[in-house]
Amino acid sequence: MIRISIDELSKILNVNPVAGEGADAASLYVDGFCYDSRKIRPTDLFLPFKGENVDGHMFIGKALAVADVSLTENPVEQPLAGKVYFPVESVGDAMQEIALYIRNKYMKPVVGVTGSVGKTTTREMTTHVLESGLRVFHTEGNQNSQIGVPVTLSGIMDHETDCAVIEMGISEEGGMDRLSRMVRPSVAIVTNIGVSHMKFLGSREGIRNEKLKIISRMDENGVLLLNADDPLLYAVKDSLPVKVVTYGFGEDADIRATDIVPEEGGIRFTVTMDGASSSVYLSAEGEHNVRNALAALGAARTLGLSREGAEASLATFSGSRQRVVHAGGMTIIDDSYNASPDSMRAALSVLLSRKGRRVAVLGDMFELGKDEIALHESVGRFILEEAEKGRKLDVLVTAGPMADKLGRAAGNAVPEIIHYEDTDEAEKKLADILREGDTVLFKASNGMQFRRLVRLFEESGKE
């Protein structure tokens, strides 16, 4: 984070600071955000967020034992000697104003990535592809929220780079416009419209409309990369006020993939764009990752990178939330970080492409709103439909009340279906079901804590 003086901070936040006795405000500055008083540095700005269970204001004193400057939503009655406080209405809003100030100093292209499913992998893949010819600043981990994005942007000027790739995730109405105001993407990618956060955004159309606000702060030179295989996105592609470039498997996609063939450890396909075709190998499994790769290639094309170098870089891509590990004689597909119906179907497709005994361990998906039963059942029907095509699971294990609905909807498509009430019960009994040679998929919403199940087998000894 760039160094910001107390005077600059006062102008950014449009508020007069409150200084304790002996505070030398003229010489103080901040060059970092911190909301954990245990990890604060002397030059960090302390952010006392008010959470559901803990109010960060309780720790201002502890934070200012190390640092010199803090925001506060509470009146400052007795400022500590030598310390400076900035009274604000909202710590989160203040943090975003500071991030916007820093972002406005960054004069290079910024790629914003959003979507219901696959945005993290697409962001990682886009970063990897752009690094074939550029120095790239990018989001780390899952810092894509109203707090995570400003944390990310705070570091955008720390190193000399040629462009940035910022992941943008939302869960409520108005959230994307707030992120777009800070990020101001010159290129945007929208991966798809699913049902994640249906509980808060009401409908898939509501989710689409909110996601597309990623372009709300674009100028006339902005470019939107849109998944043409998503019907909801395709329906509005001609009504958007920016240049739209489509990608997908359909004949009219501007960037198109055909001849998709799974290979060991990855997938090969033909890319057609700008009237030319080429064969590409991607070191990630699943057709959904082909679409992610097309989006990444579209970003590279927009920023003027060599097509040959961008396509070649896909062969060395290694970042993905879906991990494949070998432990206890089994191949484990660890996709336990989160889940939605779309991502669960995609993960199942990867599993069904494997040889040998195929076992899916699936848990509840959260935040699906009033249609949660039907949406879980839709995954069960997908298993049934795939079985009718000859792509069958050998064992389906479900954990949680909603996952039970999924298993029942799969009907007799799976020879063996086993249900557990919760993750705790699955953890006790799963070892009796799995055996050497199995390929096992673990997939559920993060709140189901399926990572525990993966660790159970990883700790039994990796090969």
Side-chain angles (χ1 to χ4, degrees), residues 222-240:
V223 175
L224 174 63
L225 293 158
L226 210 61
N227 178 2
D229 296 335
D230 186 300
L232 282 175
L233 291 175
Y234 190 80
V236 298
K237 70 179 180 66
D238 295 325
S239 62
L240 300 174

Side-chain angles (χ1 to χ4, degrees), residues 7-206:
D7 184 55
E8 286 177 298
L9 202 53
S10 181
K11 292 175 182 176
I12 294 166
L13 300 177
N14 193 28
V15 64
N16 292 321
V18 176
E21 184 179 354
D24 184 10
S27 67
L28 295 179
Y29 65 89
V30 297
D31 61 6
F33 287 139
C34 184
Y35 40 82
D36 186 340
S37 61
R38 298 166 297 182
K39 300 177 180 178
I40 199 160
R41 303 176 307 127
T43 53
D44 280 340
L45 173 64
F46 185 58
L47 308 170
F49 286 102
K50 292 182 176 180
E52 293 183 10
N53 302 313
V54 178
D55 183 353
H57 290 76
M58 297 169 55
F59 303 100
I60 289 179
K62 181 179 178 182
L64 293 185
V66 176
D68 295 310
V69 189
S70 177
L71 301 182
T72 177
E73 294 175 6
N74 297 339
V76 183
E77 298 176 354
Q78 294 182 318
L80 293 171
K83 307 301 180 181
V84 175
Y85 303 73
F86 280 88
V88 296
E89 291 187 9
S90 164
V91 169
D93 288 351
M95 181 189 192
Q96 294 191 3
E97 289 301 316
I98 298 167
L100 174 61
Y101 172 80
I102 297 169
R103 163 65 182 95
N104 284 340
K105 293 180 176 296
Y106 189 75
M107 307 308 293
K108 309 294 178 60
V110 175
V111 180
V113 181
T114 195
S116 295
V117 180
K119 57 183 173 290
T120 296
T121 302
T122 302
R123 180 257 299 168
E124 292 175 339
M125 203 176 290
T126 299
T127 297
H128 181 77
V129 169
L130 294 181
E131 284 177 339
S132 66
L134 300 171
R135 295 166 297 176
V136 185
F137 174 82
H138 58 89
T139 301
E140 298 280 1
N142 61 347
Q143 296 275 40
N144 64 13
S145 66
Q146 299 295 328
I147 295 175
V149 168
V151 166
T152 296
L153 291 175
S154 70
I156 201 169
M157 297 289 291
D158 288 358
H159 304 283
E160 186 64 32
T161 57
D162 302 306
C163 65
V165 180
I166 308 295
E167 183 177 337
M168 303 161 69
I170 52 95
S171 60
E172 60 186 8
E173 189 174 358
M176 184 57 75
D177 187 57
R178 290 195 295 275
L179 294 183
S180 296
R181 177 175 175 265
M182 285 184 287
V183 175
R184 291 195 300 108
S186 42
V187 180
I189 297 171
V190 181
T191 62
N192 50 52
I193 303 301
V195 295
S196 300
H197 311 303
M198 184 91 80
K199 179 178 179 181
F200 304 107
L201 292 168
S203 66
R204 291 187 69 208
E205 288 76 13

Side-chain angles (χ1 to χ4, degrees), residues 127-415:
T127 297
H128 181 77
V129 169
L130 294 181
E131 284 177 339
S132 66
L134 300 171
R135 295 166 297 176
V136 185
F137 174 82
H138 58 89
T139 301
E140 298 280 1
N142 61 347
Q143 296 275 40
N144 64 13
S145 66
Q146 299 295 328
I147 295 175
V149 168
V151 166
T152 296
L153 291 175
S154 70
I156 201 169
M157 297 289 291
D158 288 358
H159 304 283
E160 186 64 32
T161 57
D162 302 306
C163 65
V165 180
I166 308 295
E167 183 177 337
M168 303 161 69
I170 52 95
S171 60
E172 60 186 8
E173 189 174 358
M176 184 57 75
D177 187 57
R178 290 195 295 275
L179 294 183
S180 296
R181 177 175 175 265
M182 285 184 287
V183 175
R184 291 195 300 108
S186 42
V187 180
I189 297 171
V190 181
T191 62
N192 50 52
I193 303 301
V195 295
S196 300
H197 311 303
M198 184 91 80
K199 179 178 179 181
F200 304 107
L201 292 168
S203 66
R204 291 187 69 208
E205 288 76 13
I207 294 169
R208 176 194 63 193
N209 296 341
E210 187 63 32
K211 296 284 188 185
L212 284 175
K213 288 178 183 175
I214 193 171
I215 68 173
S216 65
R217 308 291 172 150
M218 275 186 171
D219 61 23
E220 65 277 7
N221 298 315
V223 175
L224 174 63
L225 293 158
L226 210 61
N227 178 2
D229 296 335
D230 186 300
L232 282 175
L233 291 175
Y234 190 80
V236 298
K237 70 179 180 66
D238 295 325
S239 62
L240 300 174
V242 297
K243 180 181 178 180
V244 175
V245 176
T246 60
Y247 64 89
F249 300 163
E251 290 186 4
D252 57 351
D254 297 315
I255 304 173
R256 184 186 180 200
T258 54
D259 307 321
I260 301 168
V261 180
E263 293 188 5
E264 184 65 32
I267 196 164
R268 185 170 293 279
F269 57 98
T270 297
V271 175
T272 300
M273 61 177 166
D274 300 327
S277 298
S278 52
S279 178
V280 175
Y281 175 76
L282 170 65
S283 58
E285 298 182 77
E287 287 192 355
H288 60 292
N289 276 321
V290 174
R291 290 191 180 89
N292 297 340
L294 295 178
L297 293 174
R301 171 182 180 263
T302 303
L303 296 186
L305 268 71
S306 153
R307 173 172 174 174
E308 182 180 21
E311 292 178 349
S313 71
L314 290 171
T316 58
F317 174 71
S318 59
S320 176
R321 278 183 173 169
Q322 186 182 85
R323 302 184 309 133
V324 178
V325 297
H326 299 279
M330 297 178 293
T331 299
I332 295 174
I333 302 173
D334 175 14
D335 206 344
S336 60
Y337 176 78
N338 221 332
S340 68
D342 289 328
S343 68
M344 196 168 274
R345 283 188 283 267
L348 283 164
S349 290
V350 171
L351 174 63
L352 291 170
S353 69
R354 295 296 188 112
K355 297 178 180 179
R357 202 173 82 126
R358 299 177 287 212
V359 182
V361 184
L362 308 179
D364 288 359
M365 298 175 283
F366 298 158
E367 295 185 5
L368 298 182
K370 59 183 176 61
D371 295 325
E372 62 178 350
I373 293 177
L375 290 169
H376 280 83
E377 289 175 340
S378 73
V379 177
R381 288 195 298 275
F382 172 79
I383 293 171
L384 180 62
E385 290 163 2
E386 289 299 293
E388 291 171 350
K389 300 174 187 176
R391 286 160 45 95
K392 297 182 179 181
L393 290 176
D394 295 285
V395 182
L396 172 61
V397 179
T398 58
M402 289 297 107
D404 185 37
K405 308 289 186 185
L406 183 161
R408 293 177 185 276
N412 59 2
V414 186

